[in-house]
Amino acid sequence: MPPKQYENSPGLIIEATKRYHAIIKTDKGDMTVELLSEVAPLTVNNFVFLARDGFYENNQFHRVINGFMIQGGCPKGDGTGGPGYRFRDEAVTRPYVRGTLAMANSGPNTNGSQWFLVHGADAGLPPNYTIFGALTEGDDVLESLATSPVRNSRSGENSQPAERLAILNIEITETDLG
């Protein structure tokens, strides 16, 4: 079955009176991320929509660079796919430190479904990738995934996992603020 595709980015489904978390369920364990809707509402809304619609089910981490990041969210599993639409960047106001959840993209305003979790202490990236979450639980899982064996990818980068690193599902939880 081909990956889900959408004609447009989703309308607003998150609420300003709620706090959102994502539980990224992998074959190595679970990671919980606090979603930062107050700094990146468009991006959090997109991620919540895709996760709740099952877009990330049976997905995988397709790019792993120890000391830098792990990347997932491509429906094709090779870094070339997306949801069928793109949306704009949001301002980056903090550094890319270990546990940062940010959008992967192919240039300005090309966000879709791919995202990455920073593994290194400081990724040293320019502020071109919208930050929309922070890891709160599962650092051991991040470590296990980021240190998995890799091989050369199609681009020649030594970042393709040697074995499938599965994203089983992403569960979204919400709680009232206050």
Side-chain angles (χ1 to χ4, degrees), residues 6 8-11 13-14 43-56 85 172:
Y6 309 87
N8 299 300
S9 59
I13 61 169
I14 62 170
T43 307
V44 169
N45 188 74
N46 180 74
F47 187 78
V48 167
F49 167 78
L50 291 174
R52 285 185 172 162
D53 200 45
F55 187 85
Y56 296 119
Y85 60 82
I172 302 296

Side-chain angles (χ1 to χ4, degrees), residues 24 26 31 46-47 50 55-65 69-83 100-105 111-118 132 142 145 159 161 164-168 170:
I24 304 168
T26 79
M31 296 179 287
N46 180 74
F47 187 78
L50 291 174
F55 187 85
Y56 296 119
E57 285 181 22
N58 301 313
N59 203 275
Q60 66 186 342
F61 291 98
H62 63 272
R63 188 172 181 226
V64 172
I65 302 174
M69 62 88 207
I70 58 174
Q71 185 172 331
C74 173
K76 294 181 178 181
D78 63 3
T80 65
T100 296
L101 177 65
M103 289 303 292
N105 62 48
N111 299 300
S113 61
Q114 294 188 43
W115 46 269
F116 63 93
L117 270 166
V118 175
F132 68 103
L142 173 61
L145 291 163
S159 64
R164 187 172 198 277
L165 301 175
I167 299 170
L168 306 172
I170 298 179

